[in-house]
């Protein structure tokens, strides 16, 4: 029930008139797509990424991503508070760990990124940007590219061995 409610599987996104305010325009057909990526699916944890791509009229389509991590034993979603020790400095560590890796990825793509304005701290603090594999966390970041309003999504994988000192001993994803 939680998964169905979270993913809003009981309704069509195209029925959301705040998002889809317009009708088809000439040959431009409105669309709503949803894809799923599985980071982990075992008897203990289900961790998914949900990707959306909506054309609602206008110049560009809207792309989004969110995550869902479910603890099969408790029947509840897993939050960052369930994983990390409060006050342990994990956010600062993840920022320091991710920043050079994001630069390297963007540089290898030939992209000029502005990390100062990309809201890295907010991405780290938002559990909707995290998925949990069997041996690593994956954090997604939307980076401003080429000094414009456009963004590109990059992921940083962080092995649990590296995060261990910040993780709760009873973290459900371990």
């Amino acid at each position: 029930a939680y998964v169905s409610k979270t993913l809003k599987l009981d309704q069509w996104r195209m029925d959301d008139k705040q998002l889809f305010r317009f009708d088809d325009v000439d040959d431009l057909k409105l669309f709503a797509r949803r894809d799923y990526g599985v980071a982990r699916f075992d008897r203990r944890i289900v961790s998914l990424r949900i990707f959306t791509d909506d054309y609602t009229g206008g110049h560009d389509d809207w792309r989004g991503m969110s995550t869902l991590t479910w603890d099969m034993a408790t029947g509840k979603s897993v939050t960052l508070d369930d994983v990390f020790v409060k006050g342990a400095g994990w956010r600062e560590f993840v920022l320091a760990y991710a920043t050079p890796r994001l630069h390297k990825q963007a540089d290898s793509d030939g992209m000029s990124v502005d990390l100062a304005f990309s809201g890295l701290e907010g991405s780290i603090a938002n559990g909707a940007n995290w998925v949990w594999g069997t041996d690593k966390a994956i954090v997604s970041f939307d980076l401003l590219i080429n000094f414009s309003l456009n963004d590109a999504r990059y992921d940083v994988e962080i092995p649990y061995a590296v995060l261990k000192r910040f993780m709760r001993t009873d973290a459900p994803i371990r």
Side-chain angles (χ1 to χ4, degrees), residues 24-37:
D24 292 341
V25 179
D26 300 323
D27 291 335
L28 301 175
K29 300 293 182 189
L30 304 181
F31 63 79
R33 296 186 180 117
R34 186 181 320 188
D35 297 304
Y36 302 92

Side-chain angles (χ1 to χ4, degrees), residues 9-144:
L9 297 178
D10 63 334
Q11 55 189 297
W12 292 96
R13 280 200 343 271
M14 289 188 73
D15 289 337
D16 180 349
K17 293 306 175 192
Q18 286 186 337
L19 181 61
F20 288 91
R21 298 181 300 273
F22 309 105
D23 292 323
D24 292 341
V25 179
D26 300 323
D27 291 335
L28 301 175
K29 300 293 182 189
L30 304 181
F31 63 79
R33 296 186 180 117
R34 186 181 320 188
D35 297 304
Y36 302 92
V38 177
R40 180 172 174 181
F41 196 109
D42 59 33
R43 61 182 170 76
R44 293 181 41 230
I45 295 292
V46 174
S47 193
L48 308 170
R49 284 201 251 191
I50 302 97
F51 302 96
T52 57
D53 185 1
D54 304 320
Y55 178 67
T56 63
H59 187 265
D60 294 313
D61 51 338
W62 293 83
R63 293 190 175 123
M65 194 240 8
S66 62
T67 66
L68 170 77
T69 299
W70 188 258
D71 182 340
M72 301 295 281
T74 64
K76 295 181 181 177
S77 64
V78 176
T79 67
L80 295 174
D81 288 339
D82 296 329
V83 175
F84 293 111
V85 175
K86 289 187 189 334
W90 65 269
R91 288 184 176 124
E92 295 80 6
F93 172 80
V94 171
L95 179 63
Y97 186 90
T99 299
R101 287 159 177 83
L102 292 168
H103 272 298
K104 184 177 180 181
Q105 288 179 52
D107 289 348
S108 72
D109 287 346
M111 296 292 195
S112 175
V113 297
D114 191 346
L115 296 184
F117 294 103
S118 290
L120 301 184
E121 293 90 349
S123 294
I124 291 166
N126 185 348
N129 293 318
W130 291 74
V131 287
W132 306 95
T134 56
D135 60 351
K136 67 185 171 221
I138 302 168
V139 189
S140 295
F141 297 89
D142 289 324
L143 305 182
L144 292 177

